[in-house]
C-alpha cells in the first residue's frame, strides 16, 4: 500500500487539474493531443485516469522511447496501484516482458509496438494507444503514427473503436 504522503503528492500533480477536461475530450474524440510540462503526470497518471473512469475496455499501451523508461515507469505505476508488476500493469521491451491476461496498462518501447503491428496489424488487443514523448521522434515513432493514421482515418476505418493519445512535453500541438 502506498503512503498517504505519496498519494497526496500524486493527487497534487498538475494533470489532475485538467482531468475532467481530458476525459471529456478523450471520450468525444478519436485522437487526443496532450501537452504538459515534464513532471506534470502525463506518463504515469493518464493511464490510471483512463482505468479509474473505466475507459479501457481492453488494454492501453503506452510507448516509451527507451527500454529503461518503459520498465521503470511500469514499476512505478504498478506500485501506485498497489499491484504486482505483470498483473494490472505490465511492460514489454526487447528480450523482456512482464504482462498477463489481466494486464490493462502496458508500457512498451516504440520498437516493440512496431513489432506487434507486424504480428497484429489491427492492434486488436488494445483499445487505447498512447504515443508518449512524441517530440523525441524516431523512425519507430513515425512508423507508428503512420500505422495509427491508417487504422483510424479514411473512408473505411479499420479500427473505428481505437483511441489514440499523443503526448509530449514540448510538442507543438
Amino acid at each position: 500500500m502506498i503512503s498517504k504522503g505519496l498519494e497526496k503528492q500524486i493527487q497534487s500533480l498538475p494533470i489532475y487539474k485538467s482531468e475532467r477536461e481530458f476525459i471529456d475530450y478523450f471520450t468525444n474524440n478519436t485522437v487526443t493531443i496532450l501537452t504538459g510540462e515534464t513532471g506534470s503526470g502525463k506518463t504515469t497518471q493518464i493511464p490510471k485516469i483512463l482505468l479509474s473512469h473505466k475507459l479501457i475496455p481492453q488494454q492501453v499501451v503506452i510507448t516509451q522511447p527507451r527500454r529503461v523508461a518503459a520498465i521503470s515507469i511500469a514499476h512505478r505505476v504498478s506500485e501506485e496501484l498497489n499491484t504486482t508488476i505483470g498483473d494490472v500493469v505490465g511492460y514489454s521491451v526487447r528480450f523482456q516482458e512482464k504482462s498477463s491476461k489481466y494486464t490493462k496498462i502496458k508500457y512498451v518501447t516504440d520498437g516493440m509496438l512496431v513489432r506487434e503491428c507486424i504480428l497484429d496489424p489491427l492492434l486488436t488487443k488494445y483499445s487505447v494507444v498512447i504515443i508518449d514523448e512524441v517530440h523525441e521522434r524516431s523512425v519507430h515513432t513515425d512508423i507508428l503514427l503512420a500505422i495509427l493514421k491508417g487504422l483510424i482515418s479514411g473512408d473505411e476505418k479499420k479500427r473505428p473503436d481505437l483511441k489514440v493519445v499523443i503526448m509530449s512535453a514540448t510538442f507543438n500541438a
Side-chain angles (χ1 to χ4, degrees), residues 38-170:
T38 299
S40 63
K42 297 179 306 295
T43 302
T44 57
Q45 304 310 304
I46 288 297
K48 287 173 48 185
I49 289 169
L50 293 173
L51 185 65
S52 71
H53 286 272
K54 297 179 177 35
L55 295 172
I56 308 173
Q58 294 166 276
Q59 279 188 359
V60 58
V61 62
I62 307 98
T63 66
Q64 291 297 309
R66 288 168 296 286
R67 62 192 314 256
V68 172
I71 294 168
S72 63
I73 294 166
H75 279 279
R76 171 62 186 236
V77 174
S78 182
E79 178 187 339
E80 288 180 11
L81 290 172
N82 200 27
T83 65
T84 305
I85 192 73
D87 288 341
V88 176
V89 182
Y91 66 85
S92 179
V93 298
R94 192 172 179 197
F95 304 126
Q96 196 174 358
E97 178 158 357
K98 292 268 188 181
S99 66
S100 70
K101 63 182 181 180
Y102 305 108
T103 301
K104 292 299 251 176
I105 299 171
K106 185 173 163 187
Y107 289 88
V108 302
T109 56
D110 47 8
M112 285 304 292
L113 190 55
V114 168
R115 187 170 191 172
E116 283 190 44
C117 289
I118 293 168
L119 302 173
D120 178 12
L122 298 178
L123 295 172
T124 56
K125 67 181 175 183
Y126 302 116
S127 51
V128 181
V129 176
I130 299 176
I131 306 294
D132 197 5
E133 307 291 355
V134 75
H135 62 278
E136 292 196 18
R137 303 243 353 243
S138 70
V139 171
H140 290 132
T141 302
D142 289 350
I143 290 170
L144 285 173
L145 291 172
I147 290 169
L148 291 170
K149 182 178 180 184
L151 292 176
I152 62 172
S153 65
D155 293 337
E156 291 186 34
K157 297 176 182 171
K158 296 174 185 145
R159 284 289 311 276
D161 59 321
L162 184 66
K163 299 276 194 172
V164 176
V165 179
I166 299 176
M167 299 193 308
S168 175
T170 61

